[in-house]
Amino acid sequence: MTYVATCHCGSTRIEVDRLPESATACTCTYCSKSGGLWGYYRPDEVRVVAAAEDRVYTASGFNLHHFCAKCGTNTYGDSPDWSTADIGGDGSSMPTARKIGLNVRLFDNIDIASFRIDTIDGRNLW
């Protein structure tokens, strides 16, 4: 089954073949202010099929926050996958693997309350 996520105006359209098992609410300043609720995917699981108004904001240079410039909807993020084992033994190296955090609020006709919501303390973790 294909699940479709769209921004408010429809300029951005993203398809995935599964819903995430859970969603993550992050307390970092960006996520708190943008209101995203993230379902995580490998990059090869996400198909951005329309993105005429896609823009990217980054404060760090390695977390890429995508949004629609027409309606302002926060659509997805592309960030290092810190759960991967390809970082240095001392934890100081940047992972080469990436993950996509898709804003699950963009799925139509999906009950957000049906997701397990995990909250991470992003304000204090990094």
Side-chain angles (χ1 to χ4, degrees), residues 64-91:
L64 308 176
H65 304 286
H66 290 256
F67 66 96
C68 176
K70 186 174 180 181
C71 67
T73 302
N74 186 354
T75 53
Y76 70 98
D78 177 344
S79 61
D81 186 352
W82 294 98
S83 69
T84 62
D86 62 349
I87 59 176
D90 62 359

Side-chain angles (χ1 to χ4, degrees), residues 41-100:
Y41 296 88
R42 292 185 323 269
D44 64 337
E45 293 181 292
V46 177
R47 297 178 301 281
V48 178
V49 296
E53 299 293 331
D54 183 61
R55 301 295 184 275
V56 176
Y57 165 75
T58 183
S60 64
F62 55 84
N63 290 324
L64 308 176
H65 304 286
H66 290 256
F67 66 96
C68 176
K70 186 174 180 181
C71 67
T73 302
N74 186 354
T75 53
Y76 70 98
D78 177 344
S79 61
D81 186 352
W82 294 98
S83 69
T84 62
D86 62 349
I87 59 176
D90 62 359
S92 64
S93 299
M94 180 69 66
T96 56
R98 308 286 294 177
K99 69 178 176 180
I100 302 297

Side-chain angles (χ1 to χ4, degrees), residues 7-125:
C7 65
H8 189 260
C9 72
S11 293
T12 300
R13 180 181 172 95
I14 302 165
E15 296 179 352
V16 293
D17 292 331
R18 65 173 179 85
L19 291 175
E21 294 178 13
S22 65
T24 299
C26 176
T27 65
C28 78
T29 56
Y30 180 81
C31 292
S32 294
K33 291 179 184 233
S34 66
L37 187 59
W38 310 110
Y40 290 106
Y41 296 88
R42 292 185 323 269
D44 64 337
E45 293 181 292
V46 177
R47 297 178 301 281
V48 178
V49 296
E53 299 293 331
D54 183 61
R55 301 295 184 275
V56 176
Y57 165 75
T58 183
S60 64
F62 55 84
N63 290 324
L64 308 176
H65 304 286
H66 290 256
F67 66 96
C68 176
K70 186 174 180 181
C71 67
T73 302
N74 186 354
T75 53
Y76 70 98
D78 177 344
S79 61
D81 186 352
W82 294 98
S83 69
T84 62
D86 62 349
I87 59 176
D90 62 359
S92 64
S93 299
M94 180 69 66
T96 56
R98 308 286 294 177
K99 69 178 176 180
I100 302 297
L102 180 57
N103 188 350
V104 299
R105 297 183 191 279
L106 306 186
F107 290 118
D108 287 329
N109 304 314
I110 299 295
D111 180 14
I112 297 296
S114 68
F115 288 104
R116 184 185 80 235
I117 308 293
D118 300 319
T119 300
I120 59 170
D121 185 12
R123 198 164 294 226
N124 295 304
L125 286 174

